[in-house]
Amino acid sequence: MADQRSARAERSSTGIRKRPPPRKGPEHAARAACHSLEALISHPAEGVSAIRRSDDGWSVVVDVLEVPRIPDTTSLLASYEVRLDQACELLEYTRVRRYRRGAADE
């Protein structure tokens, strides 16, 4: 019975349940960083290699395919550090590394 009351309390006057605002966690920050960077530099994101929360938002390292080549192991990739504010809006980005896909980390 208490469950029914709490369910009714969550509904608005239209009878539709109110959802809590979406939480802007690391997954959201990673997607936002990839999307913003791709739009600015016109290269596809390959993935996220690091993410950390900072006092003013997020810092995300996005790996990007800059020069596709055949064979694929010779393609050139780059890592960009993308800084986002707490609302996951882009503040700045910087290319921090460029490397061949087949190269081992140093």
Side-chain angles (χ1 to χ4, degrees):
M1 187 143 188
D3 292 334
Q4 291 175 343
R5 275 186 244 145
S6 64
R8 276 189 227 127
E10 289 178 10
R11 294 175 191 233
S12 68
S13 60
T14 61
I16 300 172
R17 282 187 178 197
K18 292 181 182 177
R19 291 185 181 177
R23 191 167 167 234
K24 304 226 185 220
E27 297 89 1
H28 180 78
R31 281 192 296 274
C34 289
H35 180 74
S36 295
L37 188 62
E38 285 177 337
L40 287 169
I41 66 173
S42 300
H43 294 298
E46 290 276 309
V48 171
S49 56
I51 186 167
R52 74 177 171 274
R53 184 182 280 285
S54 62
D55 292 337
D56 60 344
W58 296 93
S59 177
V60 183
V61 178
V62 179
D63 298 316
V64 172
L65 177 62
E66 288 197 333
V67 182
R69 291 186 178 158
I70 299 174
D72 193 44
T73 55
T74 61
S75 295
L76 290 178
L77 286 88
S79 295
Y80 286 82
E81 183 173 4
V82 180
R83 288 193 50 238
L84 305 171
D85 63 14
Q86 291 180 350
C88 291
E89 296 293 324
L90 181 73
L91 295 173
E92 67 180 10
Y93 73 92
T94 306
R95 185 169 68 188
V96 293
R97 180 175 172 230
R98 196 168 191 203
Y99 57 98
R100 266 193 1 255
R101 185 187 297 275
D105 282 348
E106 297 174 13

